[in-house]
């Protein structure tokens, strides 16, 4: 039997002048038995501004190349470049420090497309809404990640339009459950076509045999687990579908004991379908709900609870659908890998980032020393906010404290739009530094699943912002202030260099006045 081919994959990283040194450093740490690599420096300063035509015209592929990797923010079309070079072309991560993980060196390839948990999202005040309003709300919840729309009935509140609401939602293709303490409302909802009924106990269980709707079984009282066992046993004997919900209780009102009941129910009934209502924790705990949700769905994953009932009443749970959707995907992937739920993306990280600072102060100083234009760059490192252009490099932790230097060294007094832009960016940078989040100039902070991400066309440059500098040295149309130099205005000769050449040319270096120079100079 022949030995498998162990020839390492030869990656070609396309980059620009300013990012090349950092890329060489990270690429040098890749395992040589898995990856050979070359760096194709297109000669332009800012890699993100490389266009498809620039790469075609200025980049040469070395012998033996197997895959081309573009910078994450490069707007060139990978498919067009693949056809040109005859090699696979992929857009890599936005930040160079994430390259090893992107290449799968973290030990797993992250796939968050799958899950095995069904989200029931309750409309708690459905009886006070019109059928059209209920449908609109239901469609929005589905768009956000819900699988079943739960119509909640209120005690002593008539719901005369229940049937019309169920039928309207079913006609729209939605899956519907009815949640009520009233047997009459449950029966009416079932006759109108509801898919699930929440909730029946051993005394009201007869209704489950009068309809095709799947019942969710609960104990007579939260602490009366034997009553739930008896209801389960009856459904098992009848061979009818159902779910069991031991009822999650709030903190200080039986929370820990209720978790024990979920564990005990799973132990007694290993293969049954179960549900957990997470709202008693997310709604009734005044804490950021994302961490609470992640913990509860971790419990669901361990216990194979594949249904959750969620509710959004409080303002602090306004993203609960998105949070449950993100958490179910992370937990599914981690369980499939028999791994901790770490290293599965940033969706469950809202306030902080695992690796917030992508450059060291020395690396930023090196980049600042290469700048030859007056436009300001902003970066964040462990030591604070860095603001620099060809004339200045300032570091601080208070956005407003930069104002005196900016007023003295620039024309901001006569350019209100640019002053506004820098103030907004510096404030965003301060927020990122204080929280330990990643900062990228001209990009919104990433709040994980706690806020919607702006959809982007990854093959097109962004339009100029409202505050585009209009004075001397203005950037060309279609670029932002920090990317003001035309992509090839100061281009150097392109160069493709391999790993061996990088290692052979490496010398001990030190930082002098913001520049990295050989150690024997200065």
């Amino acid at each position: 039997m022949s030995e498998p081919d162990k020839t390492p994959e030869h990656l070609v990283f396309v980059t620009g002048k300013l990012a090349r040194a950092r890329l060489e450093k990270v690429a040098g740490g890749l395992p040589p038995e898995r990856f050979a690599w070359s760096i194709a420096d297109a000669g332009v300063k800012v890699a993100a501004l490389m266009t498809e035509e620039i790469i075609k015209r200025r980049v040469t592929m070395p012998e033996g190349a197997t895959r081309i990797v573009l910078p994450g923010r490069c707007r060139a079309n990978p498919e067009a470049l693949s056809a040109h070079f005859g090699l696979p072309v992929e857009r890599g991560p936005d930040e160079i420090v994430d390259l090893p993980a992107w290449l799968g060196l973290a030990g797993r390839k992250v796939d968050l497309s799958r899950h095995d948990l069904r989200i029931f999202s309750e409309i708690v005040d459905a009886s006070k809404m019109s059928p059209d309003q209920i449908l609109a709300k239901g469609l929005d919840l589905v768009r956000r990640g819900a699988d079943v729309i739960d119509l909640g009935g209120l005690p002593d509140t008539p719901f005369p339009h229940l049937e019309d609401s169920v039928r309207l939602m079913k006609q729209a293709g939605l899956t519907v459950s009815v949640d009520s303490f009233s047997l009459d409302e449950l029966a009416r909802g079932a006759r109108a076509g509801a898919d699930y009924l929440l909730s029946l106990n051993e005394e009201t269980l007869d209704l489950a045999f009068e309809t095709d709707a799947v019942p969710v079984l609960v104990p007579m009282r939260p602490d009366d687990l034997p009553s739930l066992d008896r209801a389960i046993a009856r459904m098992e004997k009848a061979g009818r579908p159902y779910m069991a919900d031991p009822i999650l209780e709030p903190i200080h009102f039986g929370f820990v004991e209720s978790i024990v009941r979920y564990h005990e129910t799973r132990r007694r009934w290993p293969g049954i379908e179960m549900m957990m209502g997470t709202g008693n924790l997310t709604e009734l705990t005044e804490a950021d709900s994302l961490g609470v949700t992640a913990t509860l769905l971790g419990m669901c994953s361990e216990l194979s609870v594949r249904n959750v009932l969620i509710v959004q009443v409080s303002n602090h749970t306004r993203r609960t659908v998105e949070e449950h959707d993100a958490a179910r995907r992370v937990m599914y992937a981690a369980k499939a890998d028999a791994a901790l739920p770490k290293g599965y993306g940033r969706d469950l990280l809202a306030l902080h980032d695992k690796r917030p600072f992508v450059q060291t102060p020395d690396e930023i100083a090196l980049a600042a020393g290469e700048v030859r234009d007056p436009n300001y760059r902003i970066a964040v490192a462990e030591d604070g906010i860095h603001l620099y252009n060809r004339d200045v490099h300032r570091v601080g932790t208070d956005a407003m404290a930069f104002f005196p230097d900016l007023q003295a060294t620039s024309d901001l007094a006569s350019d209100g739009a640019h002053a506004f832009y820098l103030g907004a960016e510096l404030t965003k940078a301060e927020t990122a530094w204080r929280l330990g989040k990643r900062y990228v100039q001209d990009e919104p902070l990433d709040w994980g699943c706690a806020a919607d991400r702006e959809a982007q066309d990854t093959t097109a440059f962004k339009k100029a912002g409202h505050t585009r500098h209009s004075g001397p040295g203005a950037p060309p149309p279609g670029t932002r202030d920090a990317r003001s130099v035309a992509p090839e205005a100061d281009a150097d000769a392109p160069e493709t260099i391999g790993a061996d050449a990088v290692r052979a040319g490496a010398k001990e270096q030190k930082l002098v006045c913001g520049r990295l120079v050989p150690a024997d100079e200065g």
Side-chain angles (χ1 to χ4, degrees):
M1 186 172 181
S2 61
E3 286 289 323
D5 184 9
K6 296 183 179 180
T7 303
E9 184 178 11
H10 187 156
L11 306 177
V12 179
F13 301 110
V14 181
T15 192
K17 182 179 178 183
L18 293 180
R20 176 172 161 177
R22 293 176 59 221
L23 181 55
E24 289 177 354
K25 180 179 178 181
V26 172
L30 299 179
E33 68 276 9
R34 288 188 56 182
F35 300 107
W37 54 270
S38 300
I39 292 177
D41 182 347
V44 301
K45 277 192 174 181
V46 183
L49 287 182
M50 291 187 299
T51 64
E52 184 181 311
E53 290 305 316
I54 287 175
I55 295 172
K56 287 179 179 178
R57 187 169 61 250
R58 297 178 62 84
V59 169
T60 302
M61 288 298 118
E63 188 74 24
T66 58
R67 182 164 44 138
I68 302 169
V69 181
L70 303 177
R73 296 191 181 93
C74 176
R75 290 327 202 203
N77 187 328
E79 293 183 1
L81 290 175
S82 180
H84 175 80
F85 289 110
L87 293 169
V89 178
E90 299 179 44
R91 184 175 282 105
D94 287 351
E95 303 296 345
I96 292 172
V97 295
D98 295 327
L99 188 59
W102 182 83
L103 289 170
L105 296 177
R108 65 177 71 95
K109 195 70 173 178
V110 175
D111 177 10
L112 299 180
S113 66
R114 299 180 297 162
H115 64 82
D116 62 353
L117 184 135
R118 186 187 292 116
I119 295 175
F120 288 66
S121 186
E122 182 178 1
I123 303 177
V124 294
D125 52 354
S127 58
K128 297 181 178 180
M129 301 167 64
S130 71
D132 286 340
Q133 290 173 326
I134 291 172
L135 176 60
K137 179 69 173 178
L139 291 171
D140 179 62
L141 291 170
V142 169
R143 176 190 63 81
R144 292 162 56 186
D147 302 294
V148 182
I149 304 305
D150 183 62
L151 301 184
L154 298 174
D156 302 320
T157 303
F159 200 162
H161 53 293
L162 172 60
E163 290 92 339
D164 290 341
S165 301
V166 172
R167 294 189 191 102
L168 188 62
M169 296 178 75
K170 293 298 295 179
Q171 289 169 7
L174 302 184
T175 305
V176 182
S177 63
V178 175
D179 189 351
S180 178
F181 291 112
S182 167
L183 270 181
D184 177 63
E185 286 185 348
L186 291 175
R188 289 166 51 207
R191 287 194 295 269
D195 301 279
Y196 300 94
L197 298 180
L198 285 70
S199 300
L200 300 179
N201 57 43
E202 65 173 339
E203 291 186 353
T204 59
L205 193 54
D206 286 347
L207 180 59
F209 296 87
E210 300 171 9
T211 173
D212 291 332
V214 176
V216 177
L217 311 183
V218 296
M220 293 292 294
R221 299 183 315 276
D223 62 348
D224 186 4
L225 199 56
S227 69
L228 179 60
D229 286 333
R230 290 189 292 270
I232 292 172
R234 184 177 174 189
M235 295 301 290
E236 285 287 314
K237 183 177 180 180
R240 297 178 67 93
Y242 67 94
M243 300 179 198
D245 182 356
I247 303 179
L248 186 72
E249 294 190 277
I251 293 172
H252 297 149
F253 291 86
F255 168 60
V256 173
E257 289 183 0
S258 67
I259 292 297
V260 172
R261 287 196 296 271
Y262 276 90
H263 182 271
E264 180 63 14
T265 300
R266 175 53 74 206
R267 186 189 69 80
R268 296 184 191 183
W269 306 96
I272 69 171
E273 287 294 330
M274 293 178 65
M275 171 179 278
M276 178 184 287
T278 59
N280 276 347
L281 260 288
T282 57
E283 285 286 329
L284 302 179
T285 306
E286 287 195 356
D288 290 331
S289 57
L290 179 53
V292 177
T293 297
T295 301
L296 291 177
L297 264 62
M299 294 179 183
C300 288
S301 182
E302 284 201 4
L303 294 172
S304 296
V305 174
R306 290 189 286 266
N307 302 272
V308 290
L309 173 65
I310 70 174
V311 60
Q312 190 273 303
V313 177
S314 305
N315 284 328
H316 77 280
T317 63
R318 68 184 65 195
R319 298 284 293 186
T320 190
V321 179
E322 291 87 347
E323 291 170 2
H324 281 78
D325 181 47
R328 66 179 172 177
R329 297 172 188 276
V330 169
M331 297 305 167
Y332 181 90
K335 187 174 184 178
D337 292 338
L340 296 170
K342 295 181 64 176
Y344 289 90
R346 300 166 66 185
D347 278 356
L348 300 184
L349 293 171
L351 287 181
H352 315 293
D353 272 316
K354 186 175 179 180
R355 300 188 67 181
F357 308 120
V358 299
Q359 290 179 281
T360 66
D362 286 353
E363 288 171 337
I364 296 174
L366 174 61
E370 297 289 335
V371 172
R372 297 292 180 268
D373 60 75
N375 297 285
Y376 286 102
R377 279 78 166 170
I378 302 171
V380 174
E382 189 78 47
D383 61 341
I385 309 159
H386 291 247
L387 175 72
Y388 60 92
N389 65 5
R390 68 184 178 192
D391 302 314
V392 299
H393 181 183
R394 301 287 186 265
V395 183
T397 58
D398 182 346
M400 296 299 104
F402 285 91
F403 179 72
D405 278 342
L406 289 172
Q407 189 178 40
T409 60
S410 67
D411 60 352
L412 293 185
S414 61
D415 191 346
H418 197 205
F420 182 89
Y421 164 78
L422 287 176
E425 282 296 318
L426 287 168
T427 300
K428 186 177 72 179
E430 180 183 341
T431 300
W433 180 77
R434 292 191 181 281
L435 288 177
K437 293 187 67 62
R438 284 196 177 181
Y439 168 84
V440 180
Q441 189 169 353
D442 289 334
E443 300 290 342
L445 297 179
D446 188 339
W447 299 102
C449 67
D452 286 335
R453 293 183 176 95
E454 180 184 351
Q456 295 187 18
D457 180 355
T458 57
T459 64
F461 288 105
K462 290 187 175 182
K463 296 180 180 179
H466 295 295
T467 61
R468 184 169 61 86
H469 191 351
S470 57
T479 64
R480 297 280 185 93
D481 289 336
R483 301 168 181 168
S484 63
V485 180
E488 293 191 272
D490 59 348
D492 295 330
E495 182 181 10
T496 301
I497 185 169
D500 291 341
V502 170
R503 296 187 187 101
K507 296 181 179 180
E508 187 178 354
Q509 296 176 310
K510 63 181 180 180
L511 202 69
V512 178
C513 298
R515 294 177 181 275
L516 202 61
V517 300
D520 55 0
E521 291 186 13

